C-alpha cells in the first residue's frame, strides 16, 4: 500500500464529514477545476451496490450499475497487506456494519490537444463507503468482448479519518504505486495526486460554500458539449488570424464558438423532445460582430443577426451569413412571429426586453439570453437589495421578467472566457394559449410598474453606450405612460433609447486641446505650489541644480481646486479627471489615487516590451513633441536636451516618422 500524501484538517466549524463528501462530489462532477487537462466529467450512472456477495442494486434505475459492479467485483484481490486493496473493497462485514456501498460511474473528458485530436475519454467507477469515509477510484478498460476490466495499476483511494475533537486527517493511497501509469491527462503523476489534488480536497472540505449560481453546463450533456466544441473550435480557429476588429480575437472567437456549441446541443435536444425534424430558426438581437450568427448559419440553422452598427468583419462572412444593420425598438414593429428562438448575447439595453419580445412574437417563440451589462426596461439598472451581489440581483431580475412573460425559466452557467457566464433559457410556457391576452396585460403592468418605481427612485434617466458597464450621468425623463394601452401600441415604452449607432469616444481623447492644456497647467501649478520648498537635486555636468518636483495630492484634493464648469465637463467622460491626467503621462503620474509630477530622471523602460521594439519606437517618437517641462516648469526640464525624449524648443523639434510613413502609404 502506498501513501501518496496526508493532510491534517482542523474543523472549527463542524463542516466534517459532510464537507468531505461535498469536496468528493466536486472532484467527481467537475474534475476540471483541479485537473486543467480535463474539460469535465459525465456521470453515467450512480446508485447503491452490495459490499459482499449476493444482493442486487437498491433501485431499478441502478440495475445496469449493479451488473457492472458484479462484473468487476470479482477482479478485486481479497485480503490485506502488500499488493492488495484497502478496505472496504475487501469482503469484510460484521455485526452493525453497513453492507452497502455507493457507486458512481463517470467518464472523464479530456481537453483538445493543439495540433491533434483529443485523447479518448476514460471510464471510471468511484465506490464510496460513507460509513468508513473512503472513496475508491477504479479505472475501467473495455476488452474485445465488450466487458469491463479494472486497470488495477491506477486504482487510488481518498480517505477521511477522525483523529480527535476537531482534528481530522485526509489522505490519498494507491495500492500499486510501483505500477502506476501516468498518461498526463486523466491520470497525472502520483506526486500530483498526493500534493495538488489532496490540498484542494482539504481546502474544499472545510470551505464549501453554497454557490449562488448553477453548475456549469447543467442543462446539456458535458460529453456531447466537449465533442462538438472541439469540432467547432478546429473548424473556426482561423477566424483568430483574420480578425479585423479592435477587440481581442482569442476571447471573442472562442467565446462565440462555445455559445454556438451550447445552442446547437440545446436545440438538438429540443428537436428530440418535441419530435421536430427541421432545425430551429433564430434572430440574434444586438449581434455585434456577427460570428455567432455566422456559425449557426453554417451549421444549418436559418436565421439572422440585427445590430445598430455594421462591423468590418461582416464583409468577410459571405452571402451565407445573414446580418442586418438596423435599430431595434421594443414594439409592435419588431416582433418575430415566424422565428423559433430569439438570442440576446450580451445584448445590453435589449436584455430585459428579449423575453417580452419572444412572448409577444408567438406562443411558440423561445429565447436564450446571456446578460452582461445591467439594464432595466427604461435605462441603467438600479440596485434595490444589499444582501446580494449586484450581478446576482440583476440575474434574478432578468429571470423574473421571463417568469412574468409566462416562461418556465431555466438557468445555466456557460463555459466561456467571461466573468458574466450565467444564461437564461425560456423554451416552455407555463400557461395555455387561451391565456395569451391575460399574460400580455400582466407584462404591460409589470413594465409600467418598473418604470414608475424608477422615476420615484430617481427622476433622471441614464444614457446608453454599447458594451459599456460604467456608471453614467442621468438624463431628465419623467415621461410615463398614461395608461396601459399606450405601451401596447407601436412602441412599448415611450422614450426608450437604443444604443448609439456611432460609438462616442469618451475617454478624454476628443476634448479640445486648449481645454486639456489648461487643466494640465492648473493641476501642475497646484502640485508645484503645494510645497514650494520640496525639491530634489539635479546633477548635470557636475553642477548641482535644484528641481522642484512638487507635492503629491489625492484626486479628490485636486478636484476640489478645479472650477465647477471644468469638473462638469470631465464628468461626462469615462474616468473623468483621472483619465485626463493619465493621458498626459509626460507631465503626471497617478499612483494609488494620488497625483504626482513625473520626474523623468527616474523613468525606466518598460520590461514588457522587447528591447528591439523599444529602440524602434523611441527612435520614431524622439523629439517629435515639445517638452512640457522646458516650456512651463519654473526650473525647466530635469533632463538635459540630449537626454530628454521631447524637444527643448522648436529648433529641436523634428517630424514624426510615423506621419511620414502614413503619407507614403496613402
Amino acid at each position: 500500500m502506498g501513501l501518496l500524501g496526508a493532510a491534517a484538517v482542523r474543523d472549527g466549524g463542524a463542516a466534517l464529514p459532510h464537507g468531505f463528501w461535498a469536496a468528493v462530489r466536486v472532484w467527481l462532477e467537475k474534475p476540471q477545476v483541479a485537473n486543467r487537462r480535463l474539460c469535465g466529467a459525465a456521470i453515467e450512472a450512480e446508485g447503491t451496490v452490495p459490499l459482499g456477495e449476493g444482493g442486487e442494486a437498491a433501485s431499478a434505475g441502478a440495475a445496469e450499475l449493479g451488473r457492472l459492479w458484479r462484473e468487476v467485483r470479482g477482479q478485486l484481490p481479497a485480503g490485506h497487506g502488500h499488493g492488495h486493496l484497502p478496505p472496504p473493497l475487501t469482503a469484510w462485514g460484521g455485526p452493525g456494519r453497513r453492507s452497502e456501498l455507493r457507486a458512481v460511474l463517470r467518464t472523464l473528458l479530456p481537453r483538445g490537444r493543439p495540433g491533434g485530436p483529443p485523447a479518448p475519454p476514460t471510464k471510471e467507477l468511484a465506490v464510496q463507503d460513507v460509513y468508513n469515509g473512503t472513496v475508491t477510484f477504479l479505472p475501467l478498460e473495455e476488452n474485445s468482448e465488450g466487458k469491463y476490466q479494472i486497470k488495477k495499476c491506477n486504482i487510488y483511494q481518498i480517505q477521511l479519518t477522525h483523529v480527535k475533537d476537531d482534528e481530522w486527517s485526509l489522505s490519498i493511497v494507491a495500492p500499486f504505486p510501483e505500477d502506476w501509469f501516468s498518461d498526463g491527462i486523466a491520470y497525472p503523476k502520483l506526486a500530483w495526486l498526493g500534493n495538488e489534488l489532496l490540498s484542494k480536497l482539504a481546502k474544499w472540505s472545510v470551505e464549501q460554500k453554497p454557490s449562488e449560481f448553477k453548475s456549469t453546463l447543467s442543462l446539456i450533456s458535458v460529453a456531447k458539449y466537449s465533442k462538438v466544441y472541439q469540432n467547432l473550435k478546429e473548424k473556426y480557429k482561423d477566424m483568430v488570424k483574420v480578425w479585423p476588429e479592435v477587440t481581442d480575437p482569442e476571447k471573442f472567437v472562442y467565446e462565440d464558438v462555445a455559445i454556438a456549441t451550447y445552442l446547437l446541443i440545446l436545440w438538438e435536444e429540443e428537436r428530440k423532445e418535441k419530435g421536430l425534424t427541421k432545425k430551429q430558426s433564430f434572430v440574434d438581437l444586438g449581434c455585434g460582430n456577427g460570428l455567432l450568427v455566422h456559425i449557426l448559419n453554417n451549421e444549418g440553422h436559418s436565421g439572422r443577426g440585427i445590430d445598430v452598427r455594421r462591423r468590418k468583419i461582416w464583409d468577410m462572412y459571405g452571402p451565407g451569413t445573414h446580418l442586418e444593420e438596423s435599430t431595434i425598438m421594443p414594439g409592435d414593429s419588431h416582433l418575430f412571429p415566424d422565428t423559433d428562438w430569439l438570442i440576446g448575447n450580451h445584448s445590453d439595453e435589449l436584455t430585459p426586453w428579449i423575453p417580452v419580445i419572444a412572448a409577444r412574437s408567438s406562443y411558440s417563440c423561445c429565447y436564450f439570453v446571456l446578460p452582461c451589462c445591467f439594464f432595466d426596461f427604461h435605462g441603467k439598472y438600479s440596485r434595490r437589495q444589499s444582501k446580494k451581489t449586484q450581478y446576482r440581483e440583476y440575474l434574478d431580475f432578468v429571470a423574473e421578467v421571463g417568469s412574468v412573460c409566462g416562461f418556465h425559466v431555466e438557468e445555466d452557467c456557460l463555459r466561456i472566457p467571461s466573468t458574466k457566464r450565467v444564461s437564461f433559457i425560456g423554451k416552455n410556457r407555463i400557461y395555455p394559449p387561451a391565456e395569451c391576452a391575460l399574460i400580455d396585460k400582466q407584462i404591460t403592468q409589470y413594465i409600467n410598474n418598473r418604470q414608475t418605481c424608477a422615476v420615484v427612485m430617481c427622476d433622471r434617466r441614464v444614457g446608453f453606450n454599447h458594451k459599456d458597464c460604467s456608471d453614467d450621468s442621468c438624463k431628465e425623463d419623467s415621461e410615463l405612460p398614461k395608461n396601459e394601452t399606450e405601451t401596447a401600441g407601436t412602441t412599448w415604452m415611450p422614450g426608450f433609447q437604443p444604443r448609439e449607432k456611432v460609438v462616442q469616444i469618451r475617454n478624454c481623447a476628443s476634448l479640445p486641446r486648449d481645454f486639456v492644456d489648461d487643466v494640465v497647467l492648473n493641476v501642475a501649478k497646484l502640485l508645484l505650489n503645494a510645497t514650494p520648498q520640496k525639491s530634489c537635486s539635479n546633477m548635470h555636468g557636475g553642477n548641482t541644480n535644484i528641481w522642484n518636483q512638487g507635492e503629491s495630492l489625492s484626486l479628490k484634493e485636486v478636484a476640489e481646486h478645479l472650477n465647477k464648469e471644468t469638473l462638469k465637463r470631465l464628468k461626462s467622460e469615462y474616468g473623468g479627471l483621472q483619465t485626463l491626467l493619465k493621458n498626459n503621462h509626460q507631465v503626471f503620474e497617478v499612483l494609488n489615487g494620488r497625483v504626482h509630477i513625473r520626474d523623468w530622471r527616474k523613468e525606466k523602460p518598460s520590461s514588457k516590451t522587447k528591447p528591439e521594439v523599444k529602440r524602434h519606437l523611441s527612435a520614431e517618437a524622439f523629439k517629435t513633441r515639445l517638452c512640457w517641462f522646458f516650456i512651463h516648469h519654473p526650473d525647466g526640464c530635469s533632463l538635459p536636451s540630449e537626454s530628454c525624449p521631447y524637444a527643448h524648443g522648436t529648433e529641436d523639434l523634428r517630424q514624426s516618422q510615423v506621419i511620414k510613413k502614413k503619407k507614403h502609404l496613402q
Side-chain angles (χ1 to χ4, degrees):
M1 186 66 59
L3 178 64
L4 306 182
V9 180
R10 187 174 292 276
D11 177 26
L16 296 173
H18 303 291
F20 168 73
W21 293 111
V24 167
R25 197 70 198 179
V26 173
W27 177 235
L28 281 170
E29 294 182 346
K30 297 185 284 187
Q32 73 277 7
V33 299
N35 183 355
R36 293 297 181 182
R37 295 188 178 181
L38 297 173
C39 73
I43 304 298
E44 309 290 349
E46 61 180 310
T48 55
V49 293
L51 173 63
E53 295 294 331
E56 294 292 333
S59 65
E64 188 64 34
L65 189 65
R67 283 193 292 272
L68 174 64
W69 172 242
R70 289 194 301 274
E71 188 176 308
V72 302
R73 184 178 55 198
Q75 303 171 30
L76 300 173
H80 298 277
H82 180 73
H84 296 289
L85 294 172
L89 296 183
T90 48
W92 55 258
R97 299 285 183 105
R98 294 186 60 179
S99 60
E100 288 182 343
L101 301 172
R102 183 161 190 84
V104 179
L105 178 64
R106 68 170 181 169
T107 300
L108 297 170
L109 306 169
R111 286 191 185 276
R113 295 178 293 186
T122 303
K123 282 196 180 294
E124 208 174 49
L125 190 65
V127 185
Q128 299 172 278
D129 179 11
V130 177
Y131 185 87
N132 287 285
T134 66
V135 54
T136 309
F137 293 84
L138 306 174
L140 302 176
E141 291 181 308
E142 193 172 5
N143 61 22
S144 57
E145 299 175 358
K147 293 187 176 182
Y148 285 106
Q149 292 181 315
I150 297 175
K151 190 178 180 180
K152 297 176 184 176
C153 62
N154 278 29
I155 296 175
Y156 67 97
Q157 185 180 83
I158 304 170
Q159 303 173 344
L160 176 70
T161 306
H162 186 207
V163 181
K164 63 176 181 178
D165 300 329
D166 62 349
E167 295 178 20
W168 298 72
S169 176
L170 203 63
S171 57
I172 298 182
V173 298
F176 315 108
E178 64 281 357
D179 298 325
W180 181 271
F181 172 74
S182 173
D183 62 1
I185 302 173
Y187 295 99
K189 294 180 180 179
L190 290 175
W192 184 89
L193 288 175
N195 294 313
E196 298 295 325
L197 178 59
L198 182 64
S199 65
K200 283 183 167 58
L201 289 169
K203 180 181 178 183
W204 297 340
S205 293
V206 292
E207 292 185 2
Q208 280 291 316
K209 297 177 182 177
S211 174
E212 58 181 355
F213 305 114
K214 295 282 186 180
S215 297
T216 304
L217 307 180
S218 62
L219 300 180
I220 64 172
S221 164
V222 177
K224 190 176 291 184
Y225 176 90
S226 175
K227 184 178 180 180
V228 175
Y229 177 77
Q230 293 302 331
N231 291 339
L232 291 183
K233 185 178 179 182
E234 183 67 23
K235 191 172 181 179
Y236 297 100
K237 65 181 181 181
D238 288 341
M239 293 297 303
V240 174
K241 302 175 185 177
V242 297
W243 193 257
E245 305 294 332
V246 296
T247 50
D248 179 12
E250 291 277 348
K251 178 187 186 299
F252 282 89
V253 171
Y254 296 132
E255 181 169 315
D256 283 354
V257 165
I259 296 170
T261 301
Y262 188 91
L263 288 172
L264 290 172
I265 296 172
L266 183 74
W267 291 346
E268 182 184 347
E269 291 300 316
E270 185 193 29
R271 292 197 298 274
K272 290 179 182 177
E273 290 171 12
K274 298 180 178 179
L276 305 173
T277 55
K278 185 181 178 182
K279 289 189 174 182
Q280 294 88 336
S281 60
F282 70 92
V283 175
D284 187 349
L285 301 176
C287 64
N289 59 57
L291 180 57
L292 179 59
V293 177
H294 176 64
I295 297 172
L296 295 176
N297 283 164
N298 275 3
E299 299 305 313
H301 288 270
S302 62
R304 59 192 167 119
I306 306 174
D307 200 280
V308 72
R309 181 167 57 88
R310 185 179 186 84
R311 307 300 200 276
K312 296 175 185 177
I313 198 171
W314 286 14
D315 296 325
M316 300 175 61
Y317 294 135
T321 301
H322 305 287
L323 299 167
E324 181 182 319
E325 185 179 20
S326 178
T327 299
I328 302 164
M329 297 290 291
D332 293 348
S333 59
H334 281 94
L335 293 176
F336 307 92
D338 300 323
T339 299
D340 297 320
W341 282 78
L342 298 185
I343 297 172
N345 172 21
H346 293 186
S347 45
D348 293 354
E349 74 280 359
L350 288 173
T351 296
W353 286 105
I354 286 174
V356 179
I357 298 172
R360 288 176 167 172
S361 289
S362 73
Y363 184 76
S364 60
C365 187
C366 310
Y367 74 88
F368 166 90
V369 66
L370 180 61
C372 178
C373 304
F374 306 149
F375 283 90
D376 209 322
F377 295 109
H378 54 274
K380 288 282 187 176
Y381 179 83
S382 298
R383 293 200 66 177
R384 303 185 181 190
Q385 299 182 36
S386 59
K387 294 182 179 180
K388 301 178 183 178
T389 64
Q390 185 179 18
Y391 183 41
R392 183 67 259 178
E393 182 185 336
Y394 184 67
L395 291 174
D396 291 344
F397 160 63
V398 176
E400 182 181 71
V401 174
S403 297
V404 169
C405 292
F407 288 96
H408 171 63
V409 181
E410 296 178 278
E411 178 180 326
D412 206 352
C413 195
L414 304 189
R415 190 172 288 173
I416 57 176
S418 174
T419 55
K420 306 294 195 304
R421 302 188 296 128
V422 178
S423 64
F424 292 104
I425 294 147
K427 65 176 181 178
N428 295 306
R429 306 295 175 100
I430 57 175
Y431 63 94
E435 295 181 7
C436 282
L438 184 64
I439 294 296
D440 190 71
K441 186 176 181 180
Q442 176 178 293
I443 294 169
T444 300
Q445 186 61 52
Y446 180 79
I447 294 171
N448 289 353
N449 289 342
R450 294 290 303 186
Q451 194 180 19
T452 303
C453 292
V455 172
V456 170
M457 292 172 67
C458 173
D459 63 352
R460 300 175 299 171
R461 283 191 78 244
V462 178
F464 299 92
N465 193 34
H466 182 36
K467 305 300 181 197
D468 178 78
C469 298
S470 61
D471 290 330
D472 201 359
S473 58
C474 296
K475 296 180 182 178
E476 291 289 336
D477 183 17
S478 58
E479 184 178 2
L480 285 174
K482 296 179 178 64
N483 53 58
E484 292 181 4
T485 58
E486 190 170 333
T487 59
T490 303
T491 302
W492 299 332
M493 177 166 284
F496 171 81
Q497 187 175 346
R499 67 185 70 164
E500 298 165 346
K501 183 171 183 177
V502 178
V503 179
Q504 294 183 1
I505 299 173
R506 299 174 67 183
N507 60 355
C508 298
S510 59
L511 288 172
R513 190 68 245 176
D514 57 345
F515 173 79
V516 174
D517 290 344
D518 187 52
V519 174
V520 169
L521 190 59
N522 285 337
V523 174
K525 286 180 178 178
L526 179 66
L527 297 175
L528 290 171
N529 294 332
T531 52
Q533 75 280 5
K534 183 175 180 180
S535 307
C536 44
S537 178
N538 183 17
M539 298 292 293
H540 291 326
N543 296 322
T544 302
N545 300 318
I546 301 301
W547 192 80
N548 181 15
Q549 193 181 359
E551 182 60 277
S552 73
L553 296 175
S554 68
L555 285 163
K556 182 180 179 182
E557 290 171 321
V558 172
E560 288 172 350
H561 285 82
L562 298 177
N563 61 54
K564 291 182 179 179
E565 290 73 19
T566 298
L567 287 174
K568 185 177 180 181
R569 197 166 187 178
L570 287 173
K571 283 181 179 179
S572 67
E573 301 289 321
Y574 299 133
L577 175 63
Q578 180 172 230
T579 297
L580 184 143
L581 297 177
K582 284 187 174 181
N583 288 352
N584 288 271
H585 55 84
Q586 182 194 165
V587 185
F588 302 109
E589 261 188 316
V590 183
L591 299 171
N592 301 319
R594 297 192 70 82
V595 186
H596 309 252
I597 295 284
R598 186 178 293 276
D599 186 351
W600 278 87
R601 294 168 298 176
K602 301 175 183 177
E603 291 301 308
K604 294 180 180 179
S606 173
S607 59
K608 295 181 181 179
T609 310
K610 293 181 180 178
E612 62 271 18
V613 177
K614 293 175 192 172
R615 288 194 297 270
H616 178 68
L617 292 174
S618 61
E620 285 188 345
F622 194 69
K623 302 291 186 184
T624 58
R625 292 177 59 189
L626 289 170
C627 176
W628 185 93
F629 295 101
F630 180 81
I631 299 170
H632 297 289
H633 195 284
D635 298 332
C637 182
S638 63
L639 296 175
S641 177
E642 59 270 17
S643 302
C644 182
Y646 299 94
H648 285 196
T650 53
E651 66 281 357
D652 200 20
L653 197 62
R654 70 187 186 91
Q655 190 176 7
S656 171
Q657 296 297 311
V658 177
I659 296 173
K660 286 182 180 179
K661 285 184 179 180
K662 285 182 179 178
K663 286 182 178 179
H664 178 70
L665 290 172
Q666 291 173 351

